[in-house]
Amino acid sequence: MTHPKDTMPVPTAPAHQAAAQNTKAPNHVPLVEVTRDGLVESIHYGSLIALSAEDSSLIEAGQPDAPMYPRSSLKPLQAVALLKAGLDIPENLLALTAASHSGAKMHRDGATEILRLHGLNDQALANSTDLPYGVAEREEWLRAGNGPTRIAQNCSGKHASMTAVCVINDWPVEGYLHPEHPLQVLVRDTITELTGEEASAVSTDGCGTPLFAHSLHGMARAYGRLAAAEQDTLEGKVAHAMRRFPEMVAGEGRDVTALMRAVPGLLAKDGFEGLQLVGLPDGTGLAVKISDGGDRARMPVTVEVLRRLGVDGGSLDTLQSPPVLGGGLPVGELRAARIFSN
């Protein structure tokens, strides 16, 4: 397998290219209501689709075919591309490759180990610096006198594996985030293959990685494929690692970790700006986008859709949304909007 070895050019401006300009907002609908003593206080709008393995829509709301940026929900798809390029690491570290982690010690040590296995250190990373994402993890980190680092940033597992793949293929590590770097070309092509659609736009994610716009429809299709894949396939290896080590995908106390533990065989990944993706072992894929980016609204509507799909309701009871408080006592709730759930 031969690959270009030339140093990648340094871009003079961020890579923002759109295949089709679309400034019109999608036709989102009410998905989640916030109540306080019986009164609906706030409403989160969004779109969603549940797609069968045969590509038939089972449940949908809003405009699931509109382009959007999947943000960190792309990570399992990116991990498939890294396996294509020869990444070979233990399953817990493969799960971390697909992670948006809270920044616990297991995360920081895991990213460091991926680098070490390939003769690298954190100087190879080009992701943004940040404090740990989780509140408890961040407070502990700050109490120890630490500041923002690339290892502590929630995407460092993915970036460590990206640099590792560059070493494996004798690609330049410097410039590995450039959209035309052979690694990112492979990632783009793999995402296109799994979603079954070309990217409608390209931007840059918060961590610096090229970010491809796809529809909820395409993302649901991709997650269904991953969740149903045989364990010895590349897709199946990623899905199995995430399901076996859910604490490496998000962290303890995170709803994505709890969801994968609650439902055997379920694959889940969230993303900034209100994204939730789920894949079920029968090939069903679910994609949710909250239009205002509200993270609190992801799980109530996801749980509602899973129940309507026949996923065991009892297993989902551990994922009840945090109550709306008044004077420190519960006075309301987040719930799937009546217009959607009836």
Side-chain angles (χ1 to χ4, degrees):
M1 187 170 174
T2 59
H3 305 282
K5 301 180 183 179
D6 297 338
T7 301
M8 299 305 303
V10 178
T12 57
H16 301 284
Q17 79 184 111
Q21 295 292 332
N22 185 357
T23 58
K24 184 179 179 181
N27 185 27
H28 294 301
V29 298
L31 293 184
V32 176
E33 298 171 345
V34 184
T35 70
R36 186 178 293 273
D37 279 324
L39 180 69
V40 176
E41 185 174 34
S42 302
I43 298 176
H44 290 280
Y45 284 67
S47 294
L48 64 84
I49 187 168
L51 198 66
S52 74
E54 293 74 35
D55 214 41
S56 299
S57 175
L58 302 173
I59 302 171
E60 65 178 89
Q63 194 175 348
D65 286 319
M68 55 91 203
Y69 288 117
R71 302 300 298 269
S72 286
S73 68
L74 282 174
K75 286 177 180 174
L77 284 61
Q78 292 166 326
V80 172
L82 298 181
L83 291 182
K84 282 185 179 181
L87 183 67
D88 185 11
I89 53 178
E91 282 189 331
N92 65 318
L93 300 182
L94 180 56
L96 184 63
T97 299
S100 299
H101 207 278
S102 294
K105 187 176 186 296
M106 71 176 86
H107 162 207
R108 304 190 306 269
D109 289 351
T112 301
E113 178 65 6
I114 294 170
L115 293 168
R116 187 196 66 78
L117 288 170
H118 298 87
L120 299 167
N121 58 39
D122 60 359
Q123 296 302 306
L125 300 176
N127 58 312
S128 54
T129 61
D130 204 351
L131 299 170
Y133 175 68
V135 174
E137 291 84 357
R138 186 185 312 124
E139 290 176 350
E140 180 183 7
W141 183 253
L142 290 171
R143 282 196 300 270
N146 299 307
T149 69
R150 290 187 168 87
I151 286 290
Q153 197 262 345
N154 77 88
C155 306
S156 63
K158 176 183 75 174
H159 283 262
S161 288
M162 284 185 168
T163 62
V165 161
C166 292
V167 171
I168 291 167
N169 290 278
D170 200 19
W171 293 335
V173 175
E174 185 175 359
Y176 73 90
L177 295 182
H178 191 283
E180 296 308 317
H181 189 286
L183 167 64
Q184 300 303 338
V185 171
L186 176 61
V187 168
R188 180 195 65 207
D189 291 346
T190 301
I191 293 172
T192 296
E193 176 186 345
L194 290 170
T195 60
E197 58 186 32
E198 297 284 342
S200 59
V202 181
S203 186
T204 306
D205 211 339
C207 65
T209 309
L211 177 62
F212 306 99
H214 286 274
S215 70
L216 293 172
H217 193 134
M219 290 298 296
R221 180 185 296 122
Y223 269 71
R225 289 174 174 175
L226 262 66
E230 296 294 330
Q231 189 173 326
D232 60 351
T233 65
L234 300 184
E235 295 86 351
K237 288 179 179 179
V238 171
H240 180 73
M242 293 173 66
R243 291 183 291 219
R244 186 178 176 194
F245 295 98
E247 69 279 0
M248 296 298 283
V249 177
E252 295 296 346
R254 294 274 295 280
D255 55 16
V256 167
T257 301
L259 181 59
M260 284 193 278
R261 286 174 173 167
V263 183
L266 181 146
L267 180 70
K269 182 70 184 72
D270 56 345
F272 278 161
E273 300 303 324
L275 266 297
Q276 183 63 60
L277 272 293
V278 171
L280 298 176
D282 65 358
T284 299
L286 167 61
V288 174
K289 165 66 178 173
I290 304 300
S291 66
D292 62 9
D295 187 67
R296 67 179 182 175
R298 288 181 296 106
M299 203 51 69
V301 69
T302 297
V303 169
E304 173 67 23
V305 174
L306 288 173
R307 285 176 168 149
R308 289 175 61 175
L309 291 172
V311 175
D312 177 23
S315 68
L316 300 175
D317 289 346
T318 57
L319 292 161
Q320 293 299 320
S321 301
V324 174
L325 300 179
L329 299 175
V331 296
E333 63 178 347
L334 275 79
R335 67 188 186 197
R338 293 177 182 176
I339 191 173
F340 164 70
S341 61
N342 288 345

